[in-house]
Amino acid sequence: MKYPYSRSLFERAKKHIPGGVNSPARAFKAVGGTPLFMKRALGACMYDEDGNELIDYIGSWGPMILGHCYPAVVDAVQKAVAGSTSFGTPTELEIHMAERVCDMVPGLEKIRMTNSGTEACMSAIRVARGYTGRDKIIKFEGCYHGHGDSFLIKAGSGALTLGHPSSPGVTTGTAKDTLTADFNNLESVRELLDQNPGEVAAIILEPVAGNMGCVPPLDGFLEGLRRLCDEHGALLIFDEVMCGFRIARGGAVERYGVQPDLMAYGKVIGAGMPVGAFGGSAEVMGVVAPDGPVYQAGTLSGNPVAMSAGLALLTELDKHPEIYGDLEKRSAALEEGLADVFDRHGITVARNRVGSMLGFFFCEGPIHSFSDVSRTDTEFFARFFHAMLEEGVYLPPSAYEAWFVSHAHDNQIIRKTVDAADRVLSNIKQSRPAR
Ligand code: KE4
């Protein structure tokens, strides 16, 4: 595959856009080479500016759970945009969205729309601080909750990929209120709570971490966090921006049966349009302006075009719950097919999967925490990434990102992916001795 036009576009982009991208995760920094500029996409495939067809395993980093250009979503957006792109007033659509989401997620009674997952997470911790009157939050190393100042402390995703998990520009005043624990390690959480009695407003986590690769919660971890929050008067926040509506109709709350006090959403809820949301019980959300004193706002929050897209997608998922069973089967077929190929080629690899979120780590397993993830061979991943790209398979351009399977990834697409891996691994070997 050759990408001459993407290369020229990237040089032009760098003149007026930092790093040539509007989000660092797209920059190929971790894998090297030129990021591909996409022209269009359909179903499980994207088509770049040089006319290459690519099987897509980022799915816009999560939203494309039913594949690109899903007809009901396209129709809804086309209809909505004909009635204006924004009013800056309440609309009935926002009521339908709120009712649909509160019906899908157990224990969700009130929800506020935002324009991104970052805004949703920022707002959720502000609500927790306003509700408890406390300042500190506990997050987990390797988890990513967007680029809000409070979160860029040992963060995952692009911050981790670029080697700045704790970003310059975040003040010491802010950083001191963010405590960091180890994912899947309840003792590390208990210690922080005991060292900061009465000061922790909330514990925030990705219930299934997807920003250090895919790292599921160990049995008892989420239940343990719930107990610790109750014992210490802190709120539990599930950041379901990535796993919400993906790993189950009701996300992690449904899949694991643990009730957080607040949840944050993004990605699927907007079907690829800029949408985030945060919500929880009516009691906790009662502090949110204009009902309560905790201010939160957004010119385009609940935007009618974005709501139409998200509502169309969520309605499909809600009306066809069998989609989750299909996603499970196809994602398992991909995971097992690739595991078999890695094994046959003597490649040392660990793997995690929850529904249609999965991750492969080129190191010994198991992978339960950020320190486990740190063992992954990122150099080998980069070689594997580019070799698969040459075969027409677009993986996330970082070893620290989850892969996403959509309902458009049918058996033929899965087979093509596994066969591509078999071909490339005949040509690239791990620098470390095979197992
Ligand atoms: P956004 O502000 O990017 O919409 O959402 C931030 C966010 C919050 N919480 C979780 C669990 C997330 O995964 C994200 C964003 N995810 C990354 C992908 N790993 C976004 C990709 C990017 O930054 O371009």
Side-chain angles (χ1 to χ4, degrees), residues 49-293:
E49 288 285 358
D50 290 288
N52 299 305
E53 178 182 86
L54 300 154
I55 297 174
D56 175 18
Y57 283 101
I58 59 167
S60 179
W61 301 100
M64 299 303 165
I65 190 169
L66 297 185
H68 292 279
C69 285
Y70 191 76
V73 173
V74 174
D75 292 349
V77 168
Q78 285 172 337
K79 283 199 185 70
V81 77
S84 180
T85 50
S86 179
F87 306 105
T89 69
T91 62
E92 186 179 349
L93 258 177
E94 292 159 87
I95 303 171
H96 295 165
M97 172 64 100
E99 289 171 346
R100 173 77 61 184
V101 172
C102 289
D103 180 61
M104 291 174 81
V105 180
L108 181 58
E109 294 177 332
K110 287 213 171 180
I111 190 154
R112 163 70 58 85
M113 294 292 137
T114 64
N115 299 283
S116 69
T118 295
E119 273 187 71
C121 293
M122 283 166 59
S123 305
I125 62 165
R126 187 182 306 141
V127 167
R129 286 170 164 156
Y131 182 81
T132 61
R134 299 176 176 184
D135 292 344
K136 288 183 166 45
I137 62 165
I138 293 174
K139 74 175 287 291
F140 292 87
E141 189 167 16
C143 281
Y144 179 74
H145 306 293
H147 65 90
D149 281 4
S150 295
F151 304 128
L152 291 180
I153 318 287
K154 296 186 181 178
S157 187
L160 175 59
T161 295
L162 296 181
H164 305 295
S166 301
S167 170
V170 175
T171 65
T172 14
T174 300
K176 72 173 173 42
D177 286 335
T178 298
L179 310 172
T180 310
D182 298 331
F183 196 76
N184 276 321
N185 177 343
L186 285 170
E187 196 44 45
S188 72
V189 179
R190 187 178 289 109
E191 277 169 20
L192 290 174
L193 288 164
D194 292 342
Q195 290 159 6
N196 299 273
E199 294 185 67
V200 176
I203 297 173
I204 183 168
L205 78 157
E206 299 173 56
V208 177
N211 287 285
M212 47 173 154
C214 179
V215 182
L218 289 172
D219 289 349
F221 179 59
L222 299 180
E223 295 80 353
L225 291 178
R226 178 68 272 170
R227 275 197 308 279
L228 285 169
C229 282
D230 294 341
E231 286 163 17
H232 291 263
L235 298 191
L236 181 59
I237 303 175
F238 277 7
D239 172 357
E240 295 213 36
V241 167
M242 188 182 279
C243 63
F245 314 108
R246 172 171 282 278
I247 61 172
R249 172 178 174 274
V253 182
E254 176 188 317
R255 192 171 182 117
Y256 296 104
V258 172
Q259 190 64 51
D261 300 292
L262 286 163
M263 309 84 149
Y265 296 102
K267 299 178 192 281
V268 170
I269 196 173
M273 297 293 282
V275 179
F278 64 99
S281 65
E283 154 72 15
V284 173
M285 291 295 282
V287 302
V288 179
D291 283 345

